[in-house]
Amino acid sequence: MPRGVVTLMLAAVLGAAAPAASESVSVIDTDTLEVVGTIPLGRGKPNRIVFHPDGRTAWVVYDKGRDLGVIDAEARKLVRRVRIGGNPYNLAFTPDGRHLLVLDWSSDTSNDEVIFYDLKAEKIDGRVEVSTWPAHGVFSRDGRLVYVSGETAGDVTAIDVATRTVVTRIVHGGGDAMGLALTADGKTLYAAAGENKAILKIDTATHKVVGEIALPGVVHEATLTLDGRYLYTTLRKRNKIVVVRTADDTIVATIPQKGYPDLVTMEPTGRYALVTNRYADLVSVIDLASHAQVRTIPVGKAPHGMALRPR
């Protein structure tokens, strides 16, 4: 990869380069905000995508294939497919890069669980049963805990990474809950409470809810800007992005979207937020200074997962 060029990889059902056949990943240069490549992935409906911390590989979840794909990021090529668990939905790597966590719906051993997969040994070495539809995982700043949202259960489960045990479960009851965002100091976890139409503020020292931010619709994603000043949330069913100022939990902007805004990624300079619009086959580009959409990037059909390649 040339110096200064960072690529954002997007999982899409049909690639723009081969709309008739290839399920693929679109590659976006975040300097130019242009699609610079398409990686065919084969059949299976690619959904979520996550980079290993070293940036050399990206791992993709196939919804219909119920397996994972491994992409060589430098060669921009799918190198293999592996099966871990029963019905994987999302992935997360431990900060040390040694384990892949597979958030599994209707798994091989229980209804829903988080699977710890040892990448060097290429085997499962831990399982933690959680509530229904584990959707998103974020690690504490010291890497000791991983917080996992339950999309249909409406909860957040804190798991001890070393002992593979549940530390606590915070139940809010709002279905369609996914987004989790941790402040830079690690003291506050924002959790999307979905059908409760709210974002919860959780004190990570006590695991107690210490605040609630009301939103004008069912909220799915919650992503902090790099400076931590704003929280970007997606109201998919209302085709809106709602921006919250974290200093006082006030809504400061509402940004209309074209087609089911889903996931948000902040590009590395802190200038823009990139948002997949699943039913519009595009990624919207939001200027963070003005909270206004400044352009769109056409990609393959039904883009969902996004991941920023580490430098």
Side-chain angles (χ1 to χ4, degrees), residues 50-278:
V50 179
F51 273 98
H52 186 275
D54 66 13
R56 296 176 182 176
T57 59
W59 289 60
V60 178
V61 175
Y62 292 86
D63 269 359
K64 291 186 177 178
R66 296 198 171 192
D67 60 352
L68 310 178
V70 184
I71 295 171
D72 182 317
E74 198 64 35
R76 296 184 183 175
K77 180 181 180 181
L78 180 72
V79 291
R80 61 190 174 109
R81 288 174 70 156
V82 296
R83 184 169 180 83
I84 305 170
N87 187 17
Y89 173 72
N90 204 354
L91 308 171
F93 287 95
T94 52
D96 61 12
R98 295 177 57 187
H99 287 84
L100 172 67
L101 272 61
V102 181
L103 279 56
D104 203 24
W105 298 359
S106 301
S107 74
D108 294 330
T109 64
S110 68
N111 287 332
D112 300 270
E113 64 183 359
V114 175
I115 297 171
F116 287 74
Y117 182 76
D118 186 312
L119 291 164
K120 185 176 182 180
E122 297 186 342
K123 67 177 184 179
I124 295 171
D125 69 359
R127 299 175 184 267
V128 179
E129 188 169 352
V130 292
S131 61
T132 52
W133 289 21
H136 186 61
V138 61
F139 287 88
S140 60
R141 294 301 175 209
D142 59 8
R144 186 177 66 85
L145 301 178
V146 61
Y147 298 97
V148 177
S149 57
E151 186 163 342
T152 55
D155 64 9
V156 179
T157 301
I159 297 171
D160 187 299
V161 174
T163 63
R164 316 284 168 79
T165 56
V166 172
V167 174
T168 189
R169 181 167 287 128
I170 304 150
V171 179
H172 54 73
D176 197 27
M178 192 206 76
L180 297 173
L182 189 66
T183 55
D185 61 12
K187 294 181 179 180
T188 303
L189 178 70
Y190 293 94
E195 293 168 352
N196 288 352
K197 300 180 181 180
I199 297 287
L200 303 183
K201 296 170 67 175
I202 299 170
D203 183 331
T204 57
T206 63
H207 291 136
K208 302 294 184 183
V209 175
V210 294
E212 184 172 315
I213 305 167
L215 292 172
V218 176
V219 56
H220 186 68
E221 175 70 303
T223 304
L224 283 164
T225 55
L226 300 185
D227 60 12
R229 293 177 60 197
Y230 299 100
L231 187 71
Y232 268 63
T233 70
T234 56
L235 278 55
R236 301 188 300 182
K237 297 175 182 178
R238 299 194 64 182
N239 283 332
K240 292 179 180 179
I241 298 168
V242 174
V243 184
V244 176
R245 184 170 56 213
T246 56
D248 56 7
D249 297 341
T250 299
I251 293 175
V252 295
T254 299
I255 309 166
Q257 293 292 279
K258 189 172 182 180
Y260 209 71
D262 211 324
L263 303 186
V264 181
T265 296
M266 300 297 163
E267 62 83 34
T269 68
R271 295 175 299 169
Y272 303 113
L274 305 176
V275 185
T276 49
N277 274 238
R278 197 189 306 186

